C-alpha cells in the first residue's frame, strides 16, 4: 500500500513519483531500540551540578548542512563542526544547538526523521557524534540537539507499517488516519492547510488499488503527524530522549513545541488566517491544551539528567498562553520570536522587549532573545530593506540590545559575520515551501547558505568541493571568518567583544529592565541590579548619549554623540 491516487494532485502522491523518490534517496534505516554504537563509558552532561546554566547562556545554532564540510561532498557535517570548535570557543558561546542530524530522507532537510536514534550518514555516524560531545565538553561548550516529536518521515518504519496495515489497526493508530468526507470519501476529513502550502491531508491507496483513508501532515506530505493520544508514541520518544541523554547531550530544542496535541473532533480552521509558515493563537492545528501533559512527561525524563535543559519552539502570541509552557514542570525555556519579528523601530523594539519580559513573569521564567534562525530572514536583510550597509549597521546595533537584556541569547550561525540573505536562482531552491506553494513563495533557503571561512572565492573554505548544496555568492569575500578576525571593526570582532564584556562585567546582572527617557525614535534601558545602560538610536541623525562611561558601541561615536542606527553600552 502506498500514498497515492489515480490522479495525483497537490495532496496525493503518484506511485511513479514515489518510486523515483526511492531511487534518488538512500534507504533510511528503520528505527531501532539497540544502538549501533554503545554510548561511551562515563558519558554525561557537561556539569550535572550546574542546573541553572541555561538561564543566561549564549547558544549558537548550527545548521549542520551549512556550517563546515570536512568530507568534501559540498554538505556540512559533524566532522566539520569538530574542526571548528576552536572558532566557537574563540567566539565565546556556552552551548551549541544542532539542527536535525538524525536519519532522514531530507524532504525537509532533516525535520522528517526516519530513525530518531541514529545519525544520518550525510553528517557522519554515532562515533563522530560522540567525539563531538567529548571535544565540545572539553572546550567547556554544551551540545543540544533538535528533537522533532510532532511528526516522522513517511519513510519511518512505523509509517511504512501503517501504509501496509488496515484502517483501525494498531499500526495506523500511531498516526492520524481518517476516512474522507463525501459519498466516496473523496474529500479530506477537514479543511486544514499545511503550513508549507496546500492541503494538510494526503490520501492513501489500498492494496486492491481502491482509494483509502487520508493521513494528516501539518507540514509536508512526507511528514505525517503522530497521534499523541497513543501511549506508544511517548514511550518511543522517551527511548529517544534517554538514548541521546545517555550519550552526554546537554538538552534539546523541541521543534513545533506548541504542536503535537490535536483536538479530538478535528474542527475546520479559519482559512482567512491560513498563511505559509505561520499560525494564530486560535488555530486548531496548534496550541491545544493537551500538549502541556506531553511536555510534563518530557520534563520528567529530562529531570533524570541533572544539567540538561530543553527549549521549545513556541509560536504563541498571547502572553498568558505562552507562559503556560514555562511552568516549573514543563519547558525550561521557550523561544519568543517577538524581537525577531520587530522592525528597526524604537517603539516596535520596546514593545517586543516588554512583551517578552511580561510573557515569562507570571511563572518566574527566563526570557529568550534571538534575531534570526534557519526559518527567519537574516537580520541584515530584514533591517536593511535592500540596503546592505544600513542593514549591517542596524543588525550590529540590535546585537547590543539583545545582549544587554536579561535571559538567554540564541545566535544563528553566520549572524556573527553579518551575513545577509541570498537571492538564489530558482533552480537552486530546495525548500519544500517552494514546491508546495506552486513557486509563489521562495522559502527559507536564502538564510541557509553555507558559511564563508577563508579565501577570496567560493566556496571560501567551507568545503573542498567546487560546488556546495546551496551556492555561496562570490561577493562574500570580505565577510569570511578569516577576513573579519583580522579586522577589529568587523561584525565578528563586535560579537566577540560583546560576549566577553557580557560575561566579565557584573553590571550585566539582574532580571529587571528599567526604561530611561530617550529622544524620539530612540530607546534606553538599564539593568536594575547590575546597572548597565543600553541606548539605541533608531533614527537617521546622531543623538546625545545618556550619562556614563561608554563600554562599547556598535558604530563609532559621531562627535561624542550616538550615531544614527547604532547602539551603546554605558556604566
Amino acid at each position: 500500500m502506498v500514498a497515492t491516487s489515480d490522479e495525483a494532485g497537490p495532496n496525493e502522491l503518484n506511485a511513479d513519483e514515489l518510486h523515483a523518490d526511492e531511487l534518488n534517496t538512500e534507504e533510511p534505516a528503520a528505527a531501532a531500540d539497540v544502538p549501533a554504537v554503545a554510548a561511551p563509558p562515563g558519558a554525561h552532561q557537561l556539569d550535572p551540578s550546574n542546573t541553572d546554566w541555561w538561564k543566561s547562556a549564549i547558544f549558537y545554532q548550527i545548521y549542520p548542512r551549512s556550517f563546515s564540510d570536512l568530507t568534501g561532498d559540498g554538505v556540512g557535517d559533524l566532522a566539520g563542526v569538530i574542526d571548528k570548535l576552536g572558532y566557537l570557543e574563540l567566539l565565546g558561546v556556552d552551548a551549541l544547538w544542532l539542527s536535525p542530524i538524525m536519519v532522514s530522507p531530507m524532504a525537509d532537510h532533516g525535520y522528517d526523521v526516519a530513525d530518531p536514534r541514529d545519525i544520518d550518514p550525510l553528517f557522519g555516524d554515532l562515533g563522530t557524534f560522540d567525539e563531538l560531545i567529548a571535544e565540545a565538553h572539553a572546550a567547556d561548550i554544551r551540545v543540544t540537539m533538535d528533537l522533532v516529536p510532532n511528526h516522522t518521515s513517511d519513510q519511518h518504519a512505523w509509517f511504512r507499517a501503517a501504509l501496509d496495515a488496515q484502517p483501525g489497526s494498531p499500526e495506523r493508530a500511531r498516526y492520524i488516519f481518517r476516512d474522507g468526507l463525501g459519498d466516496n470519501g473523496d474529500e479530506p476529513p477537514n479543511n486544514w492547510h499545511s503550513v508549507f502550502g496546500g492541503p494538510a491531508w494526503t490520501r492513501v491507496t489500498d492494496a486492491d488499488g481502491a482509494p483509502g483513508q487520508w493521513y494528516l501532515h501539518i507540514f509536508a506530505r512526507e511528514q505525517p503527524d503522530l497521534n499523541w493520544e497513543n501511549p506508544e508514541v511517548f514511550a518511543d520518544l522517551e527511548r529517544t530522549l534517554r538514548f541521546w541523554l545517555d550519550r552526554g547531550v546537554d538538552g534539546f530544542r523541541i521543534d513545533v513545541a506548541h504542536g503535537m496535541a490535536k483536538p479530538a473532533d478535528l474542527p475546520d480552521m479559519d482559512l482567512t488566517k491560513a498563511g505559509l509558515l505561520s499560525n494564530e493563537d486560535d488555530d486548531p492545528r496548534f496550541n491545544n491544551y493537551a500538549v502541556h501533559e506531553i511536555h510534563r512527561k518530557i520534563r520528567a525524563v529530562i529531570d533524570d539528567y541533572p544539567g540538561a535543559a530543553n527549549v521549545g519552539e513556541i509560536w504563541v502570541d498571547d502572553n498568558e498562553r505562552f507562559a503556560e509552557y514555562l511552568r516549573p514542570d514543563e519547558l525550561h525555556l521557550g523561544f519568543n520570536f517577538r524581537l525577531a519579528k520587530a522592525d528597526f523601530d524604537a517603539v516596535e523594539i520596546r514593545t517586543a522587549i516588554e512583551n517578552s519580559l511580561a510573557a515569562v513573569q507570571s511563572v518566574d521564567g527566563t526570557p529568550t532573545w534571538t534575531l534570526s534562525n534557519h526559518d527567519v530572514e537574516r537580520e541584515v536583510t530584514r533591517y536593511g530593506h535592500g540596503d546592505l550597509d544600513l542593514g549591517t549597521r542596524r543588525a550590529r546595533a540590535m546585537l547590543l540590545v539583545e545582549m544587554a537584556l536579561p535571559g538567554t541569547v540564541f545566535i544563528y550561525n553566520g549572524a556573527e559575520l553579518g551575513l545577509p540573505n541570498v537571492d538564489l536562482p530558482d533552480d537552486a531552491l530546495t525548500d519544500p515551501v517552494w514546491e508546495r506553494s506552486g513557486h509563489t513563495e521562495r522559502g527559507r533557503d536564502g538564510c541557509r547558505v553555507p558559511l564563508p571561512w577563508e579565501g577570496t572565492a567560493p566556496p571560501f573554505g567551507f568545503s573542498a568541493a567546487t560546488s556546495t548544496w546551496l551556492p555561496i555568492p562570490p561577493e562574500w569575500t570580505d565577510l569570511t571568518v578569516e577576513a573579519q578576525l583580522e579586522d577589529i571593526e568587523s561584525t565578528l570582532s563586535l560579537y566577540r567583544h560583546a560576549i566577553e564584556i557580557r560575561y566579565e562585567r557584573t553590571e550585566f546582572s539582574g532580571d529587571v529592565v528599567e526604561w530611561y527617557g530617550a529622544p524620539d525614535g530612540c530607546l534606553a534601558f538599564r539593568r536594575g541590579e547590575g546597572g548597565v545602560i543600553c541606548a539605541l538610536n533608531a533614527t537617521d541623525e546622531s543623538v546625545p548619549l545618556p550619562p556614563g562611561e561608554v563600554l562599547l558601541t556598535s558604530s563609532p561615536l559621531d562627535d561624542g554623540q550616538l550615531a544614527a542606527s547604532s547602539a551603546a553600552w554605558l556604566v
Side-chain angles (χ1 to χ4, degrees):
M1 187 179 299
V2 295
T4 183
S5 174
D6 292 336
E7 294 181 4
N11 58 327
E12 299 163 341
L13 187 61
N14 181 275
D16 292 337
E17 183 181 349
L18 178 62
H19 180 65
D21 286 347
E22 290 175 345
L23 288 177
N24 293 324
T25 303
E26 182 174 345
E27 186 80 2
D33 291 336
V34 180
V37 177
H44 55 73
Q45 287 59 54
L46 174 60
D47 181 2
S49 69
N50 185 352
T51 58
D52 291 334
W53 62 269
W54 45 272
K55 291 185 176 181
S56 60
I58 296 176
F59 283 78
Y60 184 90
Q61 181 192 355
I62 291 178
Y63 196 69
R65 300 176 70 94
S66 299
F67 188 66
S68 175
D69 168 28
L70 210 65
T71 59
D73 62 357
V75 181
D77 45 54
L78 293 178
V81 178
I82 294 171
D83 186 57
K84 302 300 183 185
L85 282 174
Y87 166 74
L88 297 168
E89 191 174 11
L90 186 69
L91 183 60
V93 299
D94 296 291
L96 308 181
W97 153 28
L98 298 171
S99 289
I101 53 175
M102 300 164 183
V103 174
S104 168
M106 301 295 165
D108 187 24
H109 296 327
Y111 286 95
D112 51 315
V113 178
D115 183 350
R117 296 185 284 277
D118 202 356
I119 301 296
D120 194 278
L122 183 69
F123 302 119
D125 56 27
L126 283 169
T128 309
F129 180 79
D130 293 336
E131 181 184 354
L132 169 58
I133 295 287
E135 295 203 18
H137 283 180
D140 203 29
I141 298 174
R142 291 173 169 85
V143 179
T144 66
M145 63 190 303
D146 246 308
L147 191 70
V148 189
N150 180 71
H151 48 265
T152 71
S153 164
D154 63 351
Q155 301 300 303
H156 190 288
W158 274 10
F159 192 71
R160 289 185 169 188
L163 291 180
D164 289 337
Q166 297 298 313
S169 63
E171 291 82 3
R172 289 205 174 180
R174 296 164 175 159
Y175 295 89
I176 302 176
F177 278 86
R178 294 289 187 275
D179 294 332
L181 302 179
D183 293 339
N184 299 309
D186 293 335
E187 299 297 324
N190 66 19
N191 73 344
W192 287 7
H193 277 210
S194 161
V195 297
F196 285 167
W201 296 91
T202 290
R203 197 174 194 183
V204 304
T205 297
D206 291 337
D208 61 3
Q213 289 188 305
W214 300 72
Y215 69 86
L216 178 68
H217 52 87
I218 298 300
F219 295 88
R221 63 185 175 190
E222 297 90 350
Q223 296 168 289
D225 280 47
L226 287 162
N227 173 19
W228 276 89
E229 294 182 0
N230 186 331
E232 278 191 77
V233 174
F234 180 78
D236 190 70
L237 178 68
E238 181 174 356
R239 285 195 291 272
T240 297
L241 291 167
R242 295 189 185 279
F243 177 86
W244 298 109
L245 290 164
D246 287 342
R247 306 190 90 86
V249 165
D250 298 287
F252 301 93
R253 177 264 190 185
I254 301 179
D255 187 57
V256 198
H258 61 313
M260 297 182 278
K262 309 296 191 296
D265 56 348
L266 297 179
D268 282 351
M269 62 184 293
D270 183 352
L271 293 181
T272 64
K273 299 180 179 180
L276 295 177
L277 299 172
S278 67
N279 66 272
E280 298 194 10
D281 285 359
D282 58 356
D283 188 328
R285 299 171 300 175
F286 300 100
N287 199 30
N288 292 284
Y289 274 108
V291 76
H292 296 289
E293 180 58 29
I294 299 171
H295 284 299
R296 282 189 281 272
K297 291 179 178 179
I298 293 173
R299 180 60 178 263
V301 176
I302 297 291
D303 285 347
D304 284 344
Y305 297 82
N310 53 15
V311 55
E313 178 192 28
I314 309 171
W315 289 96
V316 174
D317 286 331
D318 180 79
N319 284 345
E320 184 177 346
R321 298 295 302 275
F322 183 91
E324 291 169 347
Y325 289 85
L326 301 179
R327 289 174 288 202
D329 59 347
E330 295 192 40
L331 293 164
H332 295 78
L333 296 168
F335 272 114
N336 190 310
F337 300 99
R338 290 184 183 272
L339 199 60
K341 294 192 291 185
D343 202 354
F344 192 76
D345 173 86
V347 174
E348 283 197 37
I349 294 166
R350 176 168 174 170
T351 299
I353 293 171
E354 289 178 329
N355 271 311
S356 299
L357 293 170
V360 301
Q361 186 174 16
S362 65
V363 289
D364 195 26
T366 299
T368 62
W369 313 101
T370 189
L371 300 177
S372 57
N373 63 33
H374 64 290
D375 289 332
V376 177
E377 187 176 51
R378 286 194 179 275
E379 52 264 55
V380 167
T381 298
R382 196 169 68 246
Y383 296 141
H385 304 292
D387 185 332
L388 182 60
D389 289 339
L390 178 63
T392 300
R393 285 175 59 87
R394 290 175 169 180
R396 289 166 60 96
M398 287 303 297
L399 166 67
L400 266 61
V401 171
E402 72 167 344
M403 287 281 185
L405 292 164
T408 309
V409 174
F410 290 83
I411 300 169
Y412 177 46
N413 59 200
E416 78 279 14
L417 303 178
L419 298 184
N421 261 46
V422 180
D423 187 13
L424 296 163
D426 290 357
D427 61 4
L429 298 178
T430 66
D431 192 334
V433 172
W434 174 240
E435 293 297 334
R436 295 278 298 180
S437 67
H439 294 181
T440 60
E441 297 289 336
R442 298 184 65 77
R444 301 157 292 177
D445 288 318
C447 66
R448 299 175 175 182
V449 172
L451 269 59
W453 290 94
E454 61 188 16
T456 57
F460 294 113
F462 165 77
S463 172
T466 55
S467 62
T468 52
W469 78 278
L470 288 174
I472 308 174
E475 57 267 26
W476 279 9
T477 301
D478 294 334
L479 297 178
T480 67
V481 171
E482 179 184 52
Q484 295 201 44
L485 284 175
E486 296 173 354
D487 179 4
I488 61 171
E489 302 298 331
S490 70
T491 299
L492 176 56
S493 293
L494 178 66
Y495 266 77
R496 292 180 60 201
H497 199 183
I499 291 171
E500 182 181 19
I501 291 175
R502 185 179 187 264
Y503 282 130
E504 288 184 348
R505 303 288 300 223
T506 59
E507 289 90 346
F508 287 82
S509 60
D511 298 330
V512 177
V513 169
E514 300 171 348
W515 294 98
Y516 258 58
D520 289 343
C522 303
L523 64 80
F525 62 85
R526 176 175 53 199
R527 291 281 287 275
E529 180 180 326
V532 70
I533 298 166
C534 181
L536 171 71
N537 178 6
T539 75
D540 297 329
E541 304 290 337
S542 298
V543 297
L545 281 164
E549 173 192 351
V550 175
L551 286 181
L552 185 65
T553 61
S554 63
S555 297
L557 296 177
D558 182 12
D559 289 332
Q561 293 193 319
L562 187 60
S565 298
S566 69
W569 288 346
L570 306 98
V571 292

